[in-house]
Amino acid sequence: EFRRVLFRSALFQAQKRWKQTSYSSRAALMQQEKQCVDRATSTLALTRCLKQTRQSRSALREQYYAYINPIRQQLGLAPLEWVEQR
């Protein structure tokens, strides 16, 4: 039980660190999306904005996995993997 509490604490600290250090990247992504949507003058342009946003979010998610999975592995947890949802 004590070990599990330590693992949860370590994972929480790692997740918190990621949120703190990636905040500016996440905020910039949202700002870029807003600006792109604001500039869109057609369905095609809006579709391109949404596609770019998805790609940017996927790249950020991959960065998160690269950060968190080694920590999860040290704690004996399975790595997070991208599961595409449709």
Side-chain angles (χ1 to χ4, degrees), residues 10-11 14 17 21 25 29 38 40 43 55 66 70-71 73 76 82 86:
L11 189 57
R17 250 188 328 273
T21 59
S25 296
L29 193 147
D38 289 346
T43 302
Q55 290 172 341
I71 295 166
Q73 188 175 23
W82 169 243
R86 294 252 169 189

Side-chain angles (χ1 to χ4, degrees), residues 46-62:
L46 183 60
T47 300
R48 287 179 181 154
C49 289
L50 299 178
K51 182 178 180 180
Q52 177 59 44
T53 298
R54 276 194 306 276
Q55 290 172 341
S56 296
R57 285 186 181 154
S58 291
L60 191 59
R61 186 178 305 108
E62 290 299 323

Side-chain angles (χ1 to χ4, degrees), residues 26-45:
R26 292 180 288 117
L29 193 147
M30 289 188 296
Q31 184 63 30
Q32 289 168 0
E33 179 182 20
K34 181 184 182 319
Q35 290 171 351
C36 187
V37 169
D38 289 346
R39 287 190 313 265
T41 57
S42 68
T43 302
L44 181 58

